[in-house]
Amino acid sequence: MEQISLGTQPQNLDAIFSALADPTRRAILTRLATGEASVNDLATPFAMSQPAVSKHLKVLERAGLVERDIDAQRRPARLKAAPMAAAVTWLEEFRHFWSASFDQLDDLLDDMKNATQQGPKK
């Protein structure tokens, strides 16, 4: 088996994956990909209170995925997608492993198929 070198990992990689693990936070990020939004705007499609949405935003802020400004009385949130690149880079390091594993599985299945088509050996 080939050893995978994980190199240096960003310190906030755990926070990024933790933030992305929640479907509500992923939905918030998807919404913010279309432009900045207030807590009221973000709470609308969910059956949750504004304070609950604010808690999700704080998790996203700590992970560096969202930033908030102060604009008069509102604090619009905006997507910061750059930290997600660290997660993508980390996951990409496993692509070779999975590709090689699937190639081995394909070879095994081809061998089994050929053996079945040839029939039992006498």
Side-chain angles (χ1 to χ4, degrees), residues 36-98:
E36 69 179 32
S38 68
V39 173
N40 287 337
D41 296 335
L42 294 170
T44 301
F46 302 106
M48 67 175 60
S49 66
Q50 292 174 3
V53 171
S54 291
K55 286 182 181 182
H56 283 293
L57 283 173
K58 286 179 185 173
V59 171
L60 292 167
E61 281 182 280
R62 282 193 299 270
L65 299 172
V66 167
E67 64 183 4
R68 296 178 72 185
D69 290 330
I70 297 176
D71 178 17
Q73 301 249 337
R74 31 176 263 147
R75 294 190 63 209
R78 156 180 332 102
L79 176 67
K80 283 179 54 180
M84 278 190 262
V88 169
T89 300
W90 186 83
L91 289 169
E92 282 289 328
E93 294 183 25
F94 290 94
R95 180 185 297 245
H96 176 73
F97 169 77
W98 287 112

Side-chain angles (χ1 to χ4, degrees), residues 4-65:
I4 297 174
S5 170
L6 296 178
T8 59
Q9 299 176 22
Q11 289 181 327
N12 66 337
L13 193 58
D14 290 344
I16 292 168
F17 280 118
S18 178
L20 294 175
D22 184 274
T24 301
R25 290 193 286 268
R26 290 192 306 270
I28 289 171
L29 290 174
T30 300
R31 166 53 187 87
L32 291 176
T34 66
E36 69 179 32
S38 68
V39 173
N40 287 337
D41 296 335
L42 294 170
T44 301
F46 302 106
M48 67 175 60
S49 66
Q50 292 174 3
V53 171
S54 291
K55 286 182 181 182
H56 283 293
L57 283 173
K58 286 179 185 173
V59 171
L60 292 167
E61 281 182 280
R62 282 193 299 270
L65 299 172

